[in-house]
Amino acid sequence: MKKVGVVGVGYVGLTQAVGMAQLGHSVIAYDIDVEKITKLNNSNSPFFEPGLEEALIEAQSKNLISFTNDAETLIDAEYIFLCLPTPQDEDGSADLNYLLEAVNEIKDILKPNTYLIIKSTVPVNSWKQVEQIVEREDVFLISNPEFLREGSALFDFHNPDRIVIGATTKEQSQIVAEMYSNLSTEFVLTDNTSAELTKYAANSFLAIKLSFVNDIAALCENLNANSGEVLKGVGLDNRIGNKFLTPGPGWGGSCFPKDVNALARVADREKIMMPLLSAAIESNVNAQNRVIQKIVDKLGDLNGIRIGVLGLAFKANTDDTRNSPAIEIIRKLQALGAVISAYDPAVKAFEGFEVKNDASEVFIDADLLLVLTEWAEFAQIELSSHIQNMRVVNILDTRNIFELDELKKLKVNIIN
Ligand code: UDX
């Protein structure tokens, strides 16, 4: 059992804290947000993440985790994970202020031989900035990027595809790797800069993959080809892989847009041309605009047109709407005069349009049903009864949640 500290209890920090406690370590998690810490001390997760609250309660009952607003309590920690947000600045670069302020706050508290581990996604070479602030030879600076997907973060923590640990010496990275030794996975032990870059390379690669998939799906629609079958045929090539091949209304979330932009900034700075990054971003805007265009092509002037929307989160199994393509698309539809009524299993309110308590309500008097997030439960909706409440039965299912044969049987106007 190691003594672990976690600084920042957002999505990444809380998952890391609870996951570490589940691995048997003794965890103290610190955050400046008083409300968040109070909630956590009452065993309430400040956000929705499947399984996290249950795991938190269990770890608390075993006294393996505690939460505090007092940075001084980190004094006993041998390993401290820095899990601060690094939001995107106006110029596209990542804002390191939260991270650097936190480091400044705790640097003098740390015991000799503490491992200070950067979990947050930080621009390449940020570890050097952190090192300059800490200015202590007896504190070891480690870069250990997270690869957690929201909606399955705790599962991903326990079932990682790999764990990347960057350090100045192999010995340091091996010692940090031991903390995860109960997880059966591949370890990549490397230097700090390479570890930081790995995170950006992975997320940007995935974003590029999705942009390409969305463009192929659009091409399929024009050519009357079956995108599901085309992409299945593509994904069965082991070199490509069958994951991350589902087309949608564009990719979003708190990571992809930010990370692709941040990598583009690094490439610019290093004078390395990476045109795929800007192309992926452009393709993603096109994917959202294609949804608008399809609706306008079908319905013409959208002024006063009522659209029932299913899904607001940027993907299923999360309540996160940051950079959600659903929200971007809704805003564009509203700008064209459409009236929105929406439902999401996890997002219960949003400024600027009505959010209903039940999926059935968005059908009422709608001219179009628009599916924007891939919640599995949408597939269970009794379409046959609800579509009777629509003014005109148009359906645009950007996530292919509904069975096409079922839609055809119900004689709805399928927009695609
Ligand atoms: C991502 C990375 O996957 C994770 O490794 C990293 O650490 C954080 O960023 P996350 O932002 O939680 O995770 O979302 P992810 O599951 O990757 O989905 C990103 C976006 O791509 C979502 O908008 C999702 O709907 C979309 N997506 C994903 C598709 O449109 N099709 C797919 O096949 C997969």
Side-chain angles (χ1 to χ4, degrees), residues 226 400-409 414 416:
N226 183 319
N400 300 317
I401 285 289
F402 299 133
E403 289 288 338
L404 200 56
D405 288 344
E406 160 90 350
L407 295 181
K408 283 182 182 158
K409 234 189 320 179
I414 303 166
N416 58 24

Side-chain angles (χ1 to χ4, degrees), residues 77-129:
E78 309 161 283
Y79 301 83
I80 297 183
F81 289 92
L82 299 170
C83 305
L84 288 309
T86 53
Q88 190 171 310
D89 246 346
E90 276 159 25
D91 66 355
S93 62
D95 175 353
L96 283 187
N97 281 332
Y98 294 109
L99 177 76
L100 300 181
E101 272 166 27
V103 171
N104 215 6
E105 193 183 4
I106 64 168
K107 69 181 167 85
D108 297 324
I109 302 167
L110 310 178
K111 278 195 312 206
N113 299 330
T114 300
Y115 287 77
L116 194 57
I117 308 167
I118 305 175
K119 250 300 154 202
S120 315
T121 302
V122 288
V124 182
N125 278 335
S126 296
W127 67 276
K128 290 183 184 165
Q129 260 174 283

